[in-house]
Amino acid sequence: MTCDKILELNEGKIMKLFCQKVLLAILGSLMAGPVYSNTPQQSKGLDPAIYLKYEDYKWEKLVPELGDLSAEITILHVNPKTGGTQLMIRCPKNYHAPKHWHTANETHYCVYGHFLMKDHDGKVADLSPGSYNYMPGKMIHEGWTNSEEGNLLYISLDGPWDIHFIDGMPTPKQVQDMSNRPEFPRPSKPPVYPSLSEVK
């Protein structure tokens, strides 16, 4: 047998062994399955969890100069890195939030009551209980409550909270002005949540 023939046979054996080892490694990783752990590793610098009850909220007048005519605000959380803010605003009945805008994108979720919102395009929406809306940053809007009840809105912004009134700080006359309030639609029902028997 020549030297070339011996080399050719040895190369074939080496290649076969190599392929077998690669195949075993792939099969081993597939058969191992996912790794589970009962104790997740906490990342350093993680914000603590926050739990607040409604009765513990710290409410402040949105425009203190208005006294009892002012809406009230409570800040729930501010992200220390992004400034993203979650808050709640509650308005008295027959209240007008004059035209204003916010720097950050804003979402509203109506917890109770009704809030008619009008954007700069003239579109009017009734934020009834369970309703949600998204308002892009710097979009001018205004809103009204009805004559039967106040309302409570949960608001989330993807940046710091600010408010810029178009016509200066609201006056008692402005917040009580219902002359341009759109007509409220017929009352809508609050959201119907599935019963425990329906959740599977």
Side-chain angles (χ1 to χ4, degrees):
M1 186 177 289
T2 65
C3 288
D4 289 339
K5 190 69 175 171
I6 292 170
L7 281 172
E8 187 180 323
L9 287 172
N10 283 338
E11 284 177 2
K13 287 180 182 176
I14 291 170
M15 184 56 78
K16 187 175 179 182
L17 281 171
F18 174 76
C19 289
Q20 287 175 342
K21 287 187 176 182
V22 168
L23 184 61
L24 284 172
I26 291 171
L27 287 173
S29 65
L30 289 174
M31 294 174 69
V35 177
Y36 296 99
S37 172
N38 289 331
T39 54
Q41 298 300 313
Q42 195 93 344
S43 64
K44 292 180 181 176
L46 195 67
D47 283 347
I50 296 173
Y51 302 93
L52 296 172
K53 291 187 176 180
Y54 186 80
E55 58 266 25
D56 296 329
Y57 294 171
K58 306 284 190 274
W59 293 96
E60 296 178 7
K61 301 292 185 188
L62 183 62
V63 182
E65 294 79 11
L66 292 174
D68 290 340
L69 296 177
S70 176
E72 294 182 312
I73 182 172
T74 182
I75 303 293
L76 303 174
H77 180 256
V78 177
N79 185 303
K81 293 178 182 172
T82 67
T85 304
Q86 289 83 49
L87 58 99
M88 291 185 119
I89 288 183
R90 60 186 182 190
C91 303
K93 63 183 179 180
N94 277 330
Y95 176 80
H96 174 220
K99 290 181 180 178
H100 63 278
W101 57 273
H102 312 280
T103 304
N105 299 320
E106 179 186 38
T107 63
H108 301 85
Y109 175 83
C110 183
V111 180
Y112 68 72
H114 289 258
F115 194 69
L116 277 189
M117 189 171 286
K118 184 177 181 181
D119 64 32
H120 81 294
D121 291 325
K123 182 177 180 183
V124 177
D126 173 24
L127 291 183
S128 56
S131 298
Y132 160 92
N133 92 310
Y134 168 80
M135 189 67 63
K138 300 185 179 177
M139 180 178 279
I140 297 170
H141 54 286
E142 62 184 317
W144 298 263
T145 58
N146 62 26
S147 56
E148 285 80 42
E149 60 184 347
N151 80 316
L152 177 66
L153 296 173
Y154 169 77
I155 300 173
S156 180
L157 301 103
D158 59 12
W161 155 258
D162 60 14
I163 187 165
H164 304 272
F165 292 102
I166 298 302
D167 298 317
M169 289 302 284
T171 64
K173 183 178 179 181
Q174 286 176 318
V175 298
Q176 293 179 304
D177 182 9
M178 301 296 128
S179 61
N180 292 322
R181 179 173 68 185
E183 187 175 335
F184 269 85
R186 290 188 327 189
S188 61
K189 295 179 181 178
V192 178
Y193 300 104
S195 66
L196 289 177
S197 62
E198 293 174 309
V199 178
K200 297 182 181 180

